[in-house]
Amino acid sequence: MSPDLSSPRYPVRVPLQRKPIGVIASALAARRNVLELIPEIATRQPMVSGRTGARWHMVMDPEALRRVLKDRVEDYPKSLVTRLILEPAIGNSLFVAEGAHWRWQRLAAAPAFSQRHVEALAPVMTAAAEACARRLAAASGRVEIFSETAAATFEVISDVTFSGDEGFDRDAVHRAIDAYIAGAARVSVFDVLGLPGWIPRPGRLFSGNDLRRMKRLADQAIRLRARSGPHPVPDLLDLLRAGVDPETRRRMSTPELRDNLLTFIVAGHETTALALAWALYLLAFDADVQHRAAIEAVAVLGGRAATAADLPRLTYIRQVVEEALRLYPPAAFLSRTARTADVLGGREVRRGDTVMLPIYALHRHRLLWDDPDRFDPERFAPGVTRDRYAFLPFGAGPRICIGASFAMQEAVIILATLVARFRFALTERQPQPRMILTLRPHGGLWLQVAERS
Ligand code: MNH
């Protein structure tokens, strides 16, 4: 018997499909929430295949995931839909490029995300945590938490990409990115499914104006920096400008720098904000866990904001972030296109098939997790082992998120700072997890916030 998920033992979840659905129903469901495409059996079986116009496979088997993401990564490039959605905004940057063009950009960007540089960027995160706490103290009462965490992570990412005032209009960039994400959200679906051509597709994807303006602003800042030289504490622009192709000694051109910096902003701000918002929801959901997290945060921080030096002692806070990334992975659904015929989990894959990696279902898979819908940060306690490919909030293999440790450091610093100072409680408005490009709380994430003591 399946547990009663309406009972408060379980935090909110997406109702998965229990019956196969047709093409039109799929299209409508996917438009509303990509996760509604996932059949419930995807949480019990290693692989589910089907045909909705084109052939597709959903892969939840750790061995098969390893093949797609690591062993045969060249044979499973990012899907057409990924390119279609992202290219207008971020060009052929690190996130979308394949083969040699991806490789050299990854190598050029790697030093910027090394442990040493990420730690050097921590003061920016501490300042954003401090500012976020000030805003919450002023707001107290019912607060829409996702917009608060998004403000904090945008502050961090814009400060570490284009630090210093070089006429870089952050608000304009923020607006352009939000408008772009809203526009992109309207398309994804149709192509994720490879629907037959007779189904009408939405018209123009994005207003080109916002994107053009955003690119112009970034180009200006890059040209100014070329004249003024690097900052005393190098930011991501400085570090990327210094990056060279180890083989050809080539450096990034202005458009390449711009596309990659905008990629960091697009890939790094909303995802981290969601991890934080869902973590706060889960703490509000479970008072015992929140109590334990607060004891740790208060013991380590007292009343001040967290810094990089505190990280080794904020282990439970980190476990909470990891468990939030399991239950509500911001990148809950990845997709690839098979470049050649292959066999995955004993099944025939043909060239051109869509290979979907429903991270949401993987993270709640009955064969991989015990009572998977339950919130339990102990799953990530030191010493607990699990299959490397059962937990993929940042992907895996060569294309693993380059910003993973940046994001974890930022999330722990901000979460610890907030939990030490505030108590969070649920309101009668349950958040609704909906995935468009990322797994967002539809209608906002409303919590009751009160200062401690
Ligand atoms: Mn991030 C790739 C999730 C934060 C920059 N990111 C990925 C992938 C996932 C992901 C999943 C792999 C996608 C795929 O294989 O199709 N990223 C996250 C999550 C967070 C996150 C859940 C926060 C939490 N990402 C960040 C931050 C940055 C960043 C912060 C930058 C500052 N991510 C990237 C880049 C890539 C990426 C760049 C592409 C890397 C590559 O393809 O080599």
Side-chain angles (χ1 to χ4, degrees):
M1 232 192 69
S2 57
D4 174 17
L5 294 171
S6 64
S7 92
R9 231 166 89 71
Y10 296 95
V12 59
R13 77 201 230 299
V14 177
L16 303 181
Q17 297 290 348
R18 289 187 179 263
K19 286 185 233 137
I21 54 171
V23 174
I24 305 283
S26 301
L28 292 175
R31 223 171 198 218
R32 188 170 58 237
N33 186 356
V34 176
L35 299 185
E36 286 182 29
L37 291 176
I38 303 177
E40 193 268 340
I41 51 162
T43 61
R44 290 183 277 120
Q45 298 194 349
M47 216 167 137
V48 178
S49 303
R51 186 176 188 112
T52 322
R55 286 162 48 99
W56 55 260
H57 313 274
M58 289 187 186
V59 183
M60 286 71 58
D61 172 42
E63 270 306 303
L65 283 163
R66 199 177 91 144
R67 190 171 172 87
V68 172
L69 292 171
K70 183 161 172 254
D71 301 342
R72 301 287 293 266
V73 64
E74 302 273 339
D75 292 339
Y76 292 98
K78 299 215 172 178
S79 66
L80 193 64
V81 60
T82 309
R83 305 188 72 90
L84 209 86
I85 292 174
L86 296 178
E87 271 183 1
I90 59 178
N92 199 12
S93 73
L94 179 55
F95 199 97
V96 274
E98 296 288 344
H101 192 55
W102 163 75
R103 224 179 92 79
W104 95 269
Q105 294 185 84
R106 178 87 189 195
L107 291 173
F113 291 94
S114 68
Q115 192 55 37
R116 185 166 68 87
H117 279 131
V118 169
E119 262 182 47
L121 297 173
V124 176
M125 300 167 182
T126 301
E130 187 66 62
C132 187
R134 269 199 308 274
R135 282 195 309 273
L136 285 190
S140 272
R142 290 164 109 264
V143 176
E144 200 288 290
I145 286 290
F146 176 44
S147 57
E148 296 298 337
T149 58
T153 60
F154 189 78
E155 195 176 309
V156 170
I157 199 69
S158 56
D159 219 52
V160 302
T161 42
F162 297 99
S163 66
D165 190 1
E166 283 156 330
F168 185 67
D169 183 344
R170 291 178 185 184
D171 290 342
V173 170
H174 202 171
R175 275 197 306 279
I177 287 177
D178 282 353
Y180 154 72
I181 288 175
R186 263 175 266 128
V187 242
S188 53
V189 238
F190 291 87
D191 301 83
V192 168
L193 288 168
L195 290 180
W198 52 263
I199 292 197
R201 321 238 157 175
R204 291 283 315 125
L205 306 195
F206 324 106
S207 107
N209 279 340
D210 280 344
L211 289 183
R212 270 193 297 277
R213 179 163 150 72
M214 174 173 93
K215 292 179 188 180
R216 208 173 47 238
L217 291 167
D219 287 351
Q220 263 164 21
I222 293 166
R223 278 194 298 268
L224 276 167
R225 184 70 59 86
R227 265 175 260 145
S228 66
H231 288 177
V233 178
D235 63 5
L236 291 182
L237 170 54
D238 290 326
L239 293 166
L240 215 53
R241 263 166 45 83
V244 285
D245 183 339
E247 275 150 33
T248 63
R249 315 304 301 162
R250 169 161 116 72
R251 284 169 195 269
M252 284 193 192
S253 65
T254 296
E256 284 170 336
L257 286 167
R258 169 247 289 160
D259 286 346
N260 278 296
L261 289 161
L262 291 176
T263 297
F264 300 154
I265 298 179
V266 170
H269 116 265
E270 180 166 314
T271 46
T272 313
L274 286 167
L276 278 165
W278 288 115
L280 287 166
Y281 159 71
L282 287 166
L283 291 177
F285 171 81
D286 189 324
D288 295 339
V289 172
Q290 184 173 176
H291 183 68
R292 187 170 159 195
I295 285 180
E296 177 181 274
V298 170
V300 174
L301 305 178
R304 64 182 173 77
T307 66
D310 300 316
L311 293 168
R313 291 198 295 150
L314 295 168
T315 52
Y316 193 66
I317 298 284
R318 172 175 287 261
Q319 286 172 232
V320 169
V321 173
E322 287 177 316
E323 178 70 340
L325 287 170
R326 183 184 70 86
L327 286 169
Y328 306 104
F333 201 100
L334 307 177
S335 68
R336 300 292 196 263
T337 303
R339 209 181 56 166
T340 53
D342 192 15
V343 177
L344 267 185
R347 241 176 250 204
E348 185 207 346
V349 172
R350 294 191 207 148
R351 177 192 156 94
D353 285 2
T354 298
V355 175
M356 308 187 218
L357 317 179
I359 305 302
Y360 182 85
L362 177 74
H363 287 180
R364 292 171 187 256
H365 205 282
R366 269 67 196 147
L367 300 176
L368 301 171
W369 303 91
D370 174 41
D371 199 0
D373 290 317
R374 204 161 68 82
F375 172 49
D376 181 11
E378 283 307 307
R379 299 177 201 272
F380 293 94
V384 178
T385 56
R386 80 192 72 79
D387 193 303
R388 168 66 187 93
Y389 284 79
F391 181 58
L392 299 175
F394 296 107
R399 302 301 298 254
I400 193 171
C401 176
I402 201 170
S405 49
F406 180 110
M408 284 305 294
Q409 176 180 298
E410 176 178 8
V412 172
I413 285 177
I414 295 175
L415 189 64
T417 303
L418 298 183
V419 166
R421 289 200 209 161
F422 303 93
R423 244 182 266 282
F424 297 88
L426 298 181
T427 65
E428 73 293 344
R429 282 179 70 163
Q430 249 219 141
Q432 294 176 51
R434 279 204 196 175
M435 167 141 182
I436 310 285
L437 287 183
T438 53
L439 186 50
R440 290 176 161 189
H442 178 74
L445 206 155
W446 292 86
L447 296 180
Q448 196 72 40
V449 182
E451 280 188 79
R452 291 188 175 273
S453 74

